[in-house]
Amino acid sequence: MEKLKTFVMGGVHPPENKLAEKQSILRLDPPESVAIPLSQHLGVPAAPVVNKGDEVLAGQLIAKGEAFISANIHASVSGKVAKIDAVIDSSGYRKKAILINTEGDKWTDGIDQDESLVTDYDLDSKEITRRIQDNGVVGMGGATFPSHVKMMVPKGKKAEYLIINGVECEPCLTADHRLMLEKGEEIMVGITLQMKALGVDKAIIGIENNKADALEHLERLAEKYPAISVQGLKVKYPQGAEKQLIKALVNREVPSGKLPIEVGCVVHNVGTSFAVYEAVLKNKPLMERVVTVSGTSVKKPGNFMVRIGTPVITLIEAAGGLPEDTGKVINGGPMMGKALNDLNVPVTKGTSGILIFTEAESKRPPEQNCIRCARCLTICPMGLEPYLLAQLTDKKRLEECEDERIMDCMECGSCLYICPSGKPLLDHIRVGKTRVGKMIRERAG
Amino acid sequence: MAKKESTFLNMVLTLIIVAAAASFTLATVYNLTKAPIERAREAARQEAIGMVLPDFDELQSKRLMPVTGSDSLEFNLAYRDGNLVGIAVATYTGMGYSGRIRAMVGFTPDGEIIDVVPLEHSETPGLGDKIEKGKSDWSNQFRGFDPRVQTLKVRPDGGDIDNITAATITARAYCDAIDRAFQTFKAHHSDIINKENE
Amino acid sequence: MNEILNEITLFSVVSLGAIGGVAAIILFLVAQKFKVIEDPRIDQVEELLPAANCGGCGLAGCRALAEAIVKAESLEGFNCPPGGSDVMQDIAKAMGWEAGETTPMIAVLRCNGTREQAPPKVRYDSAMTCAFAHALFAGEGGCPYGCLGCGDCVLACSFDAMYMDKETGLPVILDDKCVACAACVKECPRNIIEMRKKGKKDRRIFVSCINEEKGGVARKNCKVACIGCGKCLKECKFDAITLENNLAYIDFEKCTLCRKCPPVCPTNAIHELNFPVRKQKPAETVES
Amino acid sequence: MEYIIIIIGAVFVNNIVLAQFLGICPYLGVSAKVSTSIGMSGAVMFVMTLATLVTFLIFNFILVPFNIEYLQTISYILVVASLVQMVEIILKKVSPALYQALGIFLPLIVTNCAILGVTILAVREDYGFNLLEGVVFAIGHALGFALTIILFAGIREHLELMDVPKGMRGAPAALVVAGILALAFMGFANLV
Amino acid sequence: MKVLTVSGSPHFHAEESVSKLMYGVVFSLIPAMLVSFYFFGLAAIVVTLTAVVACMAFEFLIQKYLIKGPLTIFDGSAIITGVLLAFNVPANLPLGLVVIGSAVAIGMGKMTFGGLGKNPFNPALVGRVFLMISFPVQMTTYPQPSVLNVSLTDAVTGPTPLTIIKDGVSRGMPVSELMGQIPDYINLLMGNLGGSAGEISAIAILLGGVYMLIRKIISWHIPVAYLGSAAIFAGIFWLISPEVYPDPLFHLLTGGLMLGAIYMATDYTTSPMSRTGMIIFGIGCGLLTIIIRLFGAYPEGVAFSILIMNAFVPLINRGLKPKRFGEEVKNG
Amino acid sequence: MGQLKNFTKGFVKDNPVFVLLLGLCPALGVTTSAFNGLGMGLATTFVLVSSNIVVSIIKNLIPSKVRIPSYIVVIASFVTITDLVMEAYLPALFESLGLFIPLIVVNCLVMGRAEAFASKNNTWNSIVDGMGMGLGFAFALTVLGGLREILGAGEIFGWSIFAGDGMLVFVLAPGAFIGLGYLVALNNIVKKKMES
Ligand SMILES: Cc1cc2nc3c(=O)[nH]c(=O)nc-3n(C[C@H](O)[C@H](O)[C@H](O)COP(=O)(O)O)c2cc1C
Ligand SMILES: Cc1cc2nc3c(=O)[nH]c(=O)nc-3n(C[C@H](O)[C@H](O)[C@H](O)COP(=O)(O)O)c2cc1C
Ligand SMILES: Cc1cc2nc3c(=O)[nH]c(=O)nc-3n(C[C@H](O)[C@H](O)[C@H](O)COP(=O)(O)O)c2cc1C
Ligand SMILES: Cc1cc2nc3c(=O)[nH]c(=O)nc-3n(C[C@H](O)[C@H](O)[C@H](O)CO)c2cc1C
Ligand code: SF4
Ligand code: SF4
Ligand code: SF4
Ligand code: SF4
Ligand code: FES
């Protein structure tokens, strides 16, 4: 094995708590009803193409992403459209969603439900991208950016590397880990598809070495694919963030405010590669995904393959029910996930985990004065000064925030994690980012 | 209100007139206060001399170059009934903590110190200003000090003068000033005494 | 006499007169030669300032202040310590910026979702700023329109005209201190605070809710939400009330403060301020 | 070496603001921002040097020969005031950029004890400076002013972000900072 | 239903907290404290206790009655200030002055600006310099070490090594001769020399420093830059004229240099944030310390130089930003 | 209009030193004792009142472009008069105020009042204004001088308050800043109390 790599600037080491890493992926039955939000991706929400009362099949297109950055949405169960209404989603607000009452589990024709591996294909780049788009594949790494858009390299830029993000640097989460172990072959094929679509001849899979088994497994599989290499990485949060991952793997720095393609890289999550495989070779839309359910007092932590739109509470039941001492339920990882204020919110394409914290674990430390210990600025992987950004935001000095590059903050949360005085740094920075963003837009006209 | 226009002539004339009027007034005040200022200065000098010398009825002043230093010292020879009773020397030193210290030293015709008072100094209040009579009795040790047999230096430097605690620099400087007066006196001693004899 | 008038006098008068004259001539010539044309109002304002050039205003001297004032076209935020408020008034007069008589306005809080009316369903544990809470979720009470209670508005008020009521979790606006600067209006991420006419004897009637959700949904979170039933609309004889997006709104220009609408509101969403207590209480839920 | 000693003495040991209390008004008034304090420093440096040069000549070639030293204050202030105004007018026309950076601070300087104080000090007999030494003395003091006001502006910008308690906010905290700075500068005592 | 907590991400928080850090520093000060008690006896204990109690009391009173903010006296920072103040004064300083020093340190140095984290200058040093200038006599009357002295009053006083050198050199004596009056380097290292209560033992302070480094309470940048630059500057002068300027090791082992470099220049609140800033800060402190020691009126310059550099911190923080990610793109 | 108010505002509400922060150099430089502070304050008051009188009389004779230089000359004259008279009749005070007497010329307070008040008001009002501001200045300097004297030397106006040495800092430069800082804070509090 090669020497482990990592990024140089900043980073933290939160406790890993990967309780569910040994639990293989368990497929759950379709729930009684699902609520499928129209906005599960970054960009413009999709427009519904079904009406209340319509019968739909699992895998059927129910909302179309028409804008350039948008994605199609498919029914994840078969049944009747109960209504199209606003439901509370993980944002904490009511958003438009299509509610379907499940009847049976009938799939549309053309989806290859066979589990067997397909490796041969004869498709050109356009066709691959089209299938990805049709089947509503979005990034599974968290940002849910429509994947087909990433396949279209802008004019004048050239992609050199496809980087596959198998880092899963978030503590507690194990979905990608399990997927790599159990669907390694499919992921490899998915990667070849992505490479073809992008027109690159090199792909690197980055995996942190706390997933030694997955690392080894993929390394073995990669022997068959000379274009794909697997690189072990030292454990450090947020290695999974694309800029940090690119730095770690190919030692290139994406310039401030620019996309990875600027340095010839495109980053995809391993889950995305799997979804691409299914979409392109099995014609299966993105209608289910792996979700880790975990937490120190959860009875049966596990990784579940669930239909999009399943209420979170159903998932929690599957893991043994909501523990008595629950204080907080998080959608996503402990570092970047969102705390839920309602347990009926649906699982979406971006839901990588549901974490249940006890009362004790959910309390933030009390806030004290910043003692200027410089920890936040030392660990900020973007080289920012979080304490300063938070103070400037507080004082509404937005121009200075911009000069201090507040917009470079990727909200990784390392600063808030490390701060000994319990300053809610990231909370303030987020407010600042919103305001600076607005200011920049206004200035642009 | 008819303010004056700002024309060239107006401006220049106004300024000239104002300046001239002001300077005229000032000159008058200056001339009026010149004598009192002189008197105040003289009074201060007389007072200082009085403090370091016994009673006298006649004073002769002359300036002598010191053995070391660039400025001359003022020697005030005090007579009583025609006899020299003491010499008050206005001396200085540049070694003070904050700049120059000037002092008046009174000697007996033999060279023994009668008393010393500071004339001007900017030593730190509370530290160096202990050389002043009102602030501490440190300088009383110069009364009757005989520099011919004792050394005009602070004890840490091997002399016979007690230190001012935490203000060695000032004490050292003060000794330097007195020593300058003494050395000059010594150098011109016969001269001065002789004059008396004439 | 020549004790007093002597050559010193002569020298003095001549030298100083010369220095003064030369200075004046040079200044005049230089000023002529290097003239720069600027907004004449700057000179006008500068004229009024004390010319102490003390820097007390935080700017580089009186002219700098004059320039800043003319540029800003207002006196807000400027202060001249040696001149004091007299000077500022003079400037306002000279520039013709004297505030005309306007109808007095005041800020009102259009949310009555107290802890009691809109009981908290979750616990908020992040930075105490509404701006962030708003970005994070709908609010402890669940109403996505309601007051978040972190008090951004209170901090924004520089006149101490607001405070946070710990009991209700809502900010309170003090009639006699609010100067209608609208800082709080701008600050509130949920746009709950509105500037309204102060009203006769400080009396005001308004719908204390901005929730546009359907009645049932709104009501589930908050007992005093406007459910858009339209009863008040029918009651108002002056066409002051409109209903849009499940929400009634009372136009303060048209409202005559007749007090007919508040009793008919089934949820008590209409608020009346500074009225004498009603004789007989209309049927209503008891408010604390 | 002599000049270096004059400068070190003026900048650190007898700092014009912290030890001699001259120019306190602009020190407190124009120190809210580092950028303005730099501009002010530049202007002070320029005027202080020029004013010392001119007043030195006036003192030694007009006031002393005619025995009218008592007119020192009045003639100095006239000269400094006109000088500053002249420089300002010229600068505004000749170099608007420089005017924006330095010139706008010029009016502040007329009523600034620092300039008048240094011009008066520069001809004090204890120093016995010649013209060049006098000018170096002025430059040293201007540097001292610049150093302190820029440091001070930095601290005030920092305090701006710090939510100082209400009663101490603004001038009181600034004065205490100046006091502590003066305490710290006492460490340079007797350096030269 | 359970009441869920909603909060922004992240939902994990590191174990470190302000009070843990502060008590870590207090803990690391124990060796130096023990040495101080050993050499200066009961007097050192009493002075240390007085300073700590007075600092906490003043912080409490000011928070309670003047600022009316939350009470934070148990976060440990006032304890550090107290201990370090006591370490910076002669062990036989009259207790009244210790109390005045604590009042100045906490009241003027810290609470004036709003308390923990807001002060631009190191509180303990503000207190010390205030005392130094106000009470020069008492503050320069140092007891000589005498093992386990239980008397509070009659310690033998005498000059510190730095004073011996300063005085001697100013009287024109060569350093080599003066060195005879000074304990040898082993004793200097152990702390058997005259000086302020807690600054004497270089080895005990280094021990505490290593502990803080291991626990990641401080980073190496400031101490190394400070000690290194002081040694280098002292070395340059020493090489030029060894009979006028003592050698670098002497400088490192005497006076408050060790204590200053490891405990007082590293105070988070009053030192720069970025790594390069820290190094510049340390170098500035080192240079100033040596300049004051060699050329100034005071034999010791650590307190002054740290305070002066404290004043530079905002400018350093402004000028020396951390390197931003993606700032200068060097791809390869 | 409210002559009394005009007169008293200089003490707390608009105190030139504590509130307006004008004339700080003398306020810091000479206040090593209450007596020096008082002396400086009175000297400044004299200059302030006299120049206010003259300016209010000649205000209409001066073209606006040269009014500043003219006023400066007027003020400088009174300063020089003060300087000369003081040297003649109060030599001790003259010694301790030193450089700061000529510097009254550049005291922003004097120029400011001449320009802002005297050049727009009649003579009587200008006198009252000058008196009020000047005495407010003297008040501030005396208080600060007193504070520094008590803390620094244990004396006030030369009377001993406590035995032994005071805190030297207060006699020296830092003490001036620190003392003024806390006095300004105190004045803010008093002012607020008076307003409410
Ligand atoms: C406005 C926007 C435009 C984007 N355009 C492209 C693109 O043209 N090509 C591409 O490969 N990725 C594009 N991306 C995707 C980003 O590179 C990135 O993968 C995505 O934002 C998710 O990354 P994250 O999870 O690190 O935030 C775009 C993202 C945004 C927000
Ligand atoms: C702080 C941070 C941490 C992230 N961690 C991971 C991670 O552990 N695994 C991952 O796949 N993506 C992670 N991402 C998202 C990646 O930046 C990137 O968007 C993603 O790998 C792109 O792939 P996708 O578009 O297929 O999701 C993280 C993003 C951020 C900002
Ligand atoms: C602000 C200040 C003012 C001082 N003023 C004087 C002074 O006027 N005279 C003096 O001899 N020492 C003064 N010193 C003390 C000297 O710096 C030096 O420490 C002292 O003279 C050494 O004397 P010692 O050996 O008696 O302690 C002052 C120190 C400081 C900090
Ligand atoms: C490593 C470290 C060093 C410290 N050094 C000092 C110090 O020298 N003086 C002091 O008063 N407080 C010190 N403190 C305590 C605290 O940070 C200090 O009082 C703050 O300046 C108060 O805002 C220190 C704390 C830490 C963690
Ligand atoms: S959240 Fe932003 S500021 Fe904080 S460490 Fe991450 S990138 Fe830096
Ligand atoms: S980590 Fe926290 S305490 Fe440390 S500097 Fe950053 S905000 Fe301040
Ligand atoms: S911010 Fe302005 S409008 Fe709002 S309450 Fe305060 S004074 Fe009134
Ligand atoms: S009114 Fe708006 S700003 Fe004020 S507390 Fe409520 S939500 Fe926050
Ligand atoms: S009095 Fe204003 S600068 Fe000195």
Side-chain angles (χ1 to χ4, degrees), chain A residues 61-311:
Chain A
L61 184 75
I62 53 174
K64 207 163 161 42
E66 271 153 352
F68 175 61
I69 300 185
S70 190
N72 289 343
I73 287 172
H74 302 79
S76 57
V77 294
S78 57
K80 199 183 225 154
V81 176
K83 54 182 173 180
I84 301 179
D85 196 8
V87 300
I88 299 180
D89 75 357
S90 56
S91 73
Y93 285 96
R94 281 170 199 282
K95 296 273 173 64
K96 273 253 162 62
I98 298 174
L99 281 75
I100 304 172
N101 287 332
T102 312
E103 289 161 16
D105 191 19
K106 292 193 287 291
W107 292 45
T108 50
D109 300 339
I111 299 181
D112 175 3
Q113 287 196 57
D114 194 351
E115 294 272 316
S116 64
L117 183 72
V118 184
T119 49
D120 299 328
Y121 53 86
D122 181 22
L123 301 165
D124 66 356
S125 148
K126 277 237 173 57
E127 177 61 15
I128 297 174
T129 309
R130 193 190 61 77
R131 289 194 190 181
I132 291 173
Q133 177 172 15
D134 283 353
N135 286 318
V137 177
V138 302
M140 308 288 273
T144 59
F145 189 80
S147 295
H148 64 273
V149 182
K150 280 207 204 176
M151 299 298 178
M152 304 174 200
V153 177
K155 276 215 182 63
K157 302 269 174 343
K158 191 173 153 22
E160 281 176 64
Y161 290 102
L162 169 66
I163 288 174
I164 298 301
N165 192 338
V167 174
E168 194 152 60
C169 60
E170 280 268 10
C172 303
L173 298 187
T174 50
D176 287 353
H177 184 186
R178 291 315 302 178
L179 202 66
M180 284 188 282
L181 277 179
E182 295 173 29
K183 307 280 182 198
E185 312 236 16
E186 286 85 345
I187 290 173
M188 286 297 174
V189 180
I191 293 172
T192 61
L193 287 166
Q194 284 169 306
M195 285 164 69
K196 177 120 196 216
L198 274 169
V200 302
D201 50 15
K202 275 175 279 187
I204 309 176
I205 309 178
I207 301 173
E208 280 185 352
N209 75 332
N210 57 355
K211 293 175 272 291
D213 46 357
L215 183 58
E216 235 168 82
H217 181 57
L218 291 195
E219 260 173 358
R220 199 150 355 91
L221 294 178
E223 280 160 14
K224 280 185 285 177
Y225 299 91
I228 304 177
S229 60
V230 180
Q231 174 65 52
L233 298 162
K234 274 187 215 150
V235 179
K236 182 154 90 171
Y237 180 84
Q239 192 129 248
E242 58 188 5
K243 289 185 177 180
Q244 275 60 39
L245 186 57
I246 293 170
K247 180 76 187 171
L249 289 178
V250 295
N251 194 22
R252 294 182 183 181
E253 252 176 51
V254 181
S256 158
K258 294 277 169 36
L259 294 170
I261 194 70
E262 197 73 18
V263 293
C265 295
V266 174
V267 184
H268 282 282
N269 174 254
V270 283
T272 313
S273 300
F274 179 66
V276 164
Y277 162 81
E278 291 205 305
V280 176
L281 298 182
K282 302 262 176 181
N283 201 24
K284 183 176 158 198
L286 184 53
M287 48 185 270
E288 33 175 29
R289 69 154 298 147
V290 186
V291 179
T292 305
V293 182
S294 180
T296 42
S297 52
V298 171
K299 287 210 191 69
K300 292 183 284 176
N303 304 293
F304 303 94
M305 181 68 93
V306 295
R307 305 290 168 95
I308 303 295
T310 309

Side-chain angles (χ1 to χ4, degrees), chain C residues 109 130 146-153 164 171 187-190 192-193:
Chain C
L109 182 73
C130 305
C147 175
L148 293 157
C150 300
D152 282 10
C153 48
M164 244 8 244
E187 193 66 19
C188 178
R190 298 211 145 161
I192 292 171
I193 305 179

